[in-house]
Amino acid sequence: MSDEVRGWLSPKAVAAEAGVSQEFDLSQCVREPIHLLGGIQSYGALVAARLEDAVVDTVSRNAADVLGRAAEELVGRPVTELIGEEQWALARESMEAGSLGEEAADGGSGPASERVADGGSERGAGGPAASGVLALSLESGDGRARLFDVTVHRVAELLVLEFEPRSAEAPFVFQNFYPRVRRALHRLQGATGVTECCAAAVREVQALTGYDRVVAYRFDGADGPGQVVAEVRNEGREPWLGLWFPATDIPPQARRLYARNWIRVIGDVDDATVGLLPELREGADEPLDLSGSILRTVSGYHLEYLRNIGVASSMSVSLLHDGELWGLIACHGDESRRLTPEVRAACEFFGIALSLQLAAVAEREQADELSGYRRALATLLARLSSQEPDALLRPDSGLAELLCADGALLVRGGGTEVSATGDPVPAALPGLLERLAGASPVGEVWSSDRVPEVLGLDPAEAEEQGLPAGLLFLPFNRDGDLLAWWRREQPAPREWAADPARPVRTGPGGERLTPRGSAAVHRATVRGRSTPWTPAQRAVAGELWREMSGLLSRQMAELAARNTELARTNEDLDSFAHAAAHDLKEPLRGISNAAAFMVEDAGDVLDATSLRRLTTVRRLAERMDGLLDSLLHFSRLGQVGLERQELSLDEVVDDALLVAGGRLAEQGVTVVRPAPLPRLRADRERLREVLENLFVNAAKYAADEGASGERRVWVEAVPVAEPGGGEEVAVVVRDNGIGIPPGQQEDVLQLFRRLHRREERGGGSGVGLAVVKRIVERHGGRLWLESPAAAPDGEREAGGGPGTAVWFTLGAS
């Protein structure tokens, strides 16, 4: 078996083929070039002549019986010797004015088609051939004219004429035939749903043709299996309604051919194929291309299958939607049956009308569905109080519910930021999105209701990897930003006309293809699929993308304006810092010095009140100088770059104690490290400053004298949960001092805010905790307070106050 064939056949089909008789080779169905079978059905005759000079190129070998002239006499002679100049001109005009045809197609062993394909070759005409039908007459040996219905189409440089003897029945009268077609189309147009349309169609096609069984067969996707969605049958035939037929019944090549031709008729399954003369065209090394032939012969595999289920004749009418094969109307007869060109034309016209009606129904249903989704989208957008994209991911936003999904997520920064709503995100989803998004156009919806199949995975394997069954997403840009929805697997029970895992079975008497039908129903559950995404859902997802793109564009413009304003503010801040460092501090030093000189020079003659006032002036000037120093330091923290490095937290604590240790010792506060501290990444100087401020605060706000127990401050590293999931390390500096009331914990983190008067608790400017918070935020971390705080196990009795615990993280390195 060739690699090409193995690429089409599923692993199950290959295994099934290996398990049956070696006489049967399923891959032959793929390789057989059905458009080059080199024969026609015997009830008619074929003549192909060159357009440039009217010389006959190919003739069917039954020309003598049907046309009264031997094939050998016609090949190489002008076709006008057979039909005359006038009728040749009519044939050319018919071809040029006829409707645009497509290559004919044969399908598989399902309810509608031949189990064959063209092997991937679409040679010959090089595209659709114009075709038409006209009446021609030929003189017989006794001088009487014989009438033929002649179908005309073009194959490359040849004009092909297919002669069907005119029926002996009464001549076709359009005004008698038209009312039937009109009534049928009227009933069809009255149908409101797909199933109702198909049910009306099969009834009307049976009335037009007289076949014993007519079914409507709908495909599940371009390469998927098919289901009988409507059926009309004569008494005695088993029901097929609702049954599924495996995808292998109609290979992709056959489906493409069906999509290029509206109708295919097999008059008699026992008909003896008539060959062509010559068998191989001169200079081509292959038979005449019969892709557009009405009389084209039939694959032996399909004829065998039809005989096995008791069918003597058949017809298939293609149903198309947006140029793609949607399904088929399949007809089976218990006896051989020839359809006149008029009836075939009516069926073809009916297939076109049904395709248009089905498209109209689908568009109407989609419009109604889309209208509902648009209302939901408008509600979702109107409910957003924030203009940030993350607001879409709030639990009450309705984003997941918008597309009836189990969850939704927003990915930004190439996967560095992931926000989600709905069910927990499947474990492997972020990685899958990164893999798929790179090959998807920006702003174009990608969706699948069978992700495991797309990835070539077994459903159980996909479930083990944590993959969803359904996925829909839109890339916002090439930076990895996207919005996605996912759905869980929804196992679906199906009734198959045959086991899809065994597409080939040997039958009684050595038949290679056995009948399928309700007598051999195989019940199975389809796994690895979710509820399908509808066109309306894909459309509203695209509309949401456009809304968000506009929102992001507006945000970018606002951000640019804010950045400009921020740059001006930073310039003003730099100017202020310079003024605070020089222009303001210089007068303060002058005021302080002048007050000091006055006290020194005139202190003996000044009264006590004046002396006290001058001392106050000097003290206030010095305090203002200290406040300016603190303010200048605080402002510069937002501008100084961080130099992160891996460092030992124990070593940084030791460095901080070199400065703060004296203050702690004055207050009798002991530093406790219950366990060795870890290594982490941070700016060493800034982290030291954080610890210095916290140690100094622990000294300032130690428990009041007389409290029982020893004054202590503990330093620890504790794992904590991150807001978006995951875990990070927090540093905790915990004391057993006087504590901070919960209502004032936010206040103490503000600049120049203290819990006590300046002269109490060792004084200070109220900048320390504000500096700590600013440094932590510059690292990308978080800071929070707890008070009262429990001391470590067994240590609570060692302290005399409720205490305060300062927790902070340092963000990702």
Side-chain angles (χ1 to χ4, degrees):
M1 188 184 301
S2 69
D3 292 338
E4 178 184 358
V5 173
R6 286 188 179 275
W8 168 71
L9 294 177
S10 68
K12 290 182 178 180
V14 174
E17 181 188 353
V20 299
S21 170
Q22 295 302 311
E23 296 178 1
F24 184 79
D25 181 4
L26 178 62
S27 65
Q28 292 179 14
C29 299
V30 187
R31 292 195 300 262
E32 184 175 26
I34 59 175
H35 64 309
L36 299 174
L37 292 179
I40 64 170
Q41 299 178 58
S42 65
Y43 68 88
L46 178 145
V47 177
R50 295 197 297 262
L51 282 165
E52 62 177 0
D53 56 11
V55 171
V56 174
D57 177 273
T58 305
V59 182
S60 61
R61 292 184 179 274
N62 63 345
D65 296 332
V66 178
L67 305 177
R69 294 282 300 274
E72 292 80 2
E73 296 178 11
L74 294 174
V75 174
R77 302 293 300 169
V79 71
T80 53
E81 294 181 0
L82 176 67
I83 63 174
E85 295 282 355
E86 184 177 348
Q87 292 191 131
W88 171 246
L90 288 174
R92 291 178 62 104
E93 291 175 7
S94 176
M95 177 271 296
E96 293 168 356
S99 61
L100 188 64
E102 301 285 352
E103 288 186 15
D106 290 315
S109 63
S113 57
E114 300 177 25
R115 190 188 180 90
V116 290
D118 66 352
S121 172
E122 294 184 5
R123 297 163 298 199
S131 63
V133 179
L134 67 157
L136 295 182
S137 63
L138 300 180
E139 291 187 5
S140 61
D142 57 8
R144 290 184 300 175
R146 289 184 297 168
L147 297 179
F148 293 88
D149 293 311
V150 180
T151 302
V152 181
H153 71 278
R154 181 174 178 172
V155 178
E157 77 283 5
L158 302 179
L159 189 63
V160 179
L161 295 82
E162 297 182 85
F163 294 79
E164 299 174 73
R166 178 66 66 87
S167 172
E169 300 173 359
F172 171 76
V173 180
F174 178 77
Q175 54 266 38
N176 293 337
F177 189 75
Y178 172 70
R180 293 172 55 193
V181 177
R182 181 182 179 187
R183 285 193 300 270
L185 292 176
H186 180 73
R187 284 189 285 267
L188 181 62
Q189 291 172 353
T192 58
V194 169
T195 302
E196 189 179 350
C197 279
C198 291
V202 296
R203 289 194 299 269
E204 299 306 328
V205 169
Q206 187 187 48
L208 284 170
T209 62
Y211 282 108
D212 298 283
R213 181 202 297 274
V214 181
V215 301
Y217 182 78
R218 179 178 185 174
F219 293 111
D220 180 20
D223 297 319
Q227 183 186 27
V228 175
V229 296
E231 177 186 43
V232 60
R233 55 191 171 85
N234 291 342
E235 187 177 353
R237 285 186 168 268
E238 61 179 357
W240 283 359
L241 184 63
L243 292 184
W244 287 82
F245 289 79
T248 50
D249 281 2
I250 308 178
Q253 299 93 329
R255 299 181 194 221
R256 288 196 297 270
L257 291 175
Y258 269 120
R260 300 185 63 182
N261 195 283
W262 285 104
I263 195 166
R264 171 64 163 149
V265 178
I266 301 173
D268 186 353
V269 299
D270 293 321
D271 179 72
T273 295
V274 174
L276 302 179
L277 181 71
E279 292 183 3
L280 302 179
R281 293 189 60 215
E282 184 177 353
D285 292 329
E286 62 182 23
L288 176 67
D289 185 346
L290 297 177
S291 296
S293 169
I294 292 295
L295 297 175
R296 174 165 51 89
T297 191
V298 187
S299 165
Y301 295 111
H302 182 53
L303 292 176
E304 178 185 34
Y305 178 81
L306 291 178
R307 287 192 289 266
N308 283 344
I309 58 175
V311 171
S313 58
S314 73
M315 178 185 73
S316 300
V317 180
S318 300
L319 301 176
L320 305 181
H321 181 67
D322 289 338
E324 300 292 333
L325 187 63
W326 182 92
L328 297 167
I329 295 178
C331 309
H332 289 165
D334 294 342
E335 298 177 351
S336 60
R337 183 181 303 275
R338 279 184 54 196
L339 299 182
T340 65
E342 292 84 7
V343 173
R344 290 200 305 265
C347 292
E348 182 174 339
F349 180 62
F350 199 79
I352 296 172
L354 177 57
S355 295
L356 293 174
Q357 180 67 7
L358 289 172
V361 168
E363 289 173 3
R364 182 169 62 248
E365 292 176 347
Q366 180 179 342
D368 293 342
E369 182 186 9
L370 184 57
S371 177
Y373 282 123
R374 281 173 172 162
R375 288 193 296 271
L377 176 60
T379 302
L380 182 149
L381 294 173
R383 253 198 336 255
L384 296 179
S385 58
S386 169
Q387 294 300 300
E388 293 294 327
D390 283 341
L392 286 171
L393 278 299
R394 291 201 315 252
D396 60 345
S397 70
L399 180 63
E401 294 78 6
L402 176 66
L403 298 190
C404 305
D406 293 310
L409 78 163
L410 178 67
V411 178
R412 291 189 292 178
T416 57
E417 298 179 47
V418 179
S419 308
T421 185
D423 285 356
V425 178
L429 182 55
L432 174 62
L433 286 169
E434 182 179 359
R435 170 182 169 185
L436 295 175
S440 300
V442 172
E444 185 172 310
V445 175
W446 187 98
S447 67
S448 174
D449 62 345
R450 52 196 74 180
V451 171
E453 183 178 322
V454 170
L455 299 177
L457 299 176
D458 182 87
E461 184 181 359
E463 184 178 18
E464 183 179 342
Q465 293 183 16
L467 291 170
L471 179 62
L472 182 151
F473 72 88
L474 304 94
F476 286 165
N477 48 48
R478 283 301 174 196
D479 297 328
D481 300 340
L482 58 86
L483 184 62
W485 290 261
W486 75 88
R487 288 175 176 167
R488 294 188 299 269
E489 179 189 57
Q490 294 291 337
R494 283 185 179 176
E495 291 189 341
W496 297 86
D499 184 353
R502 299 187 63 193
V504 181
R505 304 179 68 181
T506 54
E511 292 91 349
R512 293 170 297 179
L513 297 175
T514 57
R516 301 178 180 190
S518 60
V521 168
H522 177 82
R523 291 176 175 83
T525 299
V526 176
R527 293 213 43 208
R529 298 187 182 183
S530 70
T531 305
W533 306 97
T534 67
Q537 289 169 341
R538 290 192 292 270
V540 80
E543 292 180 10
L544 176 59
W545 172 78
R546 286 188 287 275
E547 290 288 340
M548 291 191 67
S549 295
L551 175 61
L552 291 172
S553 296
R554 292 191 295 272
Q555 287 181 341
M556 291 297 291
E558 292 173 4
L559 181 61
R562 290 177 182 176
N563 284 338
T564 301
E565 182 63 27
L566 181 60
R568 285 196 295 268
T569 302
N570 285 335
E571 291 177 2
D572 293 342
L573 182 60
D574 288 339
S575 299
F576 169 77
H578 180 79
H582 300 89
D583 300 341
L584 294 179
K585 290 173 68 70
E586 184 63 29
L588 284 174
R589 283 194 294 270
I591 293 172
S592 178
N593 291 336
F597 292 153
M598 291 176 67
V599 171
E600 291 177 3
D601 296 341
D604 295 339
V605 298
L606 292 175
D607 59 81
T609 299
S610 298
L611 187 60
R612 187 176 66 255
R613 286 173 178 171
L614 284 172
T615 302
T616 300
V617 168
R618 184 179 181 186
R619 187 180 71 254
L620 291 177
E622 291 173 350
R623 181 169 179 270
M624 177 64 75
D625 186 70
L627 288 174
L628 287 172
D629 285 338
S630 298
L631 182 61
L632 180 60
H633 178 62
F634 183 82
S635 66
R636 285 177 174 171
L637 285 175
Q639 299 175 326
V640 176
L642 297 179
E643 296 182 5
R644 283 184 181 266
Q645 58 180 308
E646 186 174 336
L647 45 81
S648 166
L649 183 55
D650 271 315
E651 293 179 2
V652 181
V653 169
D654 292 339
D655 291 345
L657 290 175
L658 293 176
V659 176
R663 294 289 297 273
L664 292 169
E666 289 175 6
Q667 300 299 320
V669 178
T670 302
V671 177
V672 179
R673 282 176 263 192
L677 297 174
R679 297 182 68 82
L680 42 75
R681 289 186 62 81
D683 184 299
R684 189 183 191 93
E685 292 304 313
R686 301 284 78 78
L687 180 57
R688 178 188 56 76
E689 189 174 355
V690 166
L691 294 171
E692 284 178 8
N693 278 288
L694 296 180
F695 289 153
V696 169
N697 274 358
K700 285 183 180 181
Y701 302 106
D704 295 328
E705 292 187 8
S708 61
E710 183 180 351
R711 297 176 175 180
R712 293 188 178 181
V713 57
W714 291 266
V715 184
E716 300 177 81
V718 180
V720 296
E722 294 184 80
E727 195 173 76
E728 60 183 337
V729 174
V731 179
V732 191
V733 178
R734 186 197 322 261
D735 63 47
N736 58 355
I738 63 173
I740 303 173
Q744 295 179 287
Q745 290 178 10
E746 288 297 323
D747 291 341
V748 299
L749 298 176
Q750 305 303 314
L751 195 63
F752 302 138
R753 299 295 294 272
R754 303 182 77 250
L755 294 180
H756 306 85
R757 292 190 298 273
R758 298 184 190 92
E759 63 273 12
E760 296 180 355
R761 295 284 174 180
S765 60
V767 176
L769 284 179
V771 167
V772 168
K773 182 182 178 185
R774 188 71 174 268
I775 292 174
V776 167
E777 290 176 346
R778 287 282 287 119
H779 277 79
R782 299 176 290 135
L783 180 141
W784 66 98
L785 306 182
E786 290 180 358
S787 183
D793 293 343
E795 299 283 356
R796 183 60 189 263
E797 69 278 3
T804 300
V806 181
W807 298 69
F808 65 90
T809 65
L810 296 172
S813 57

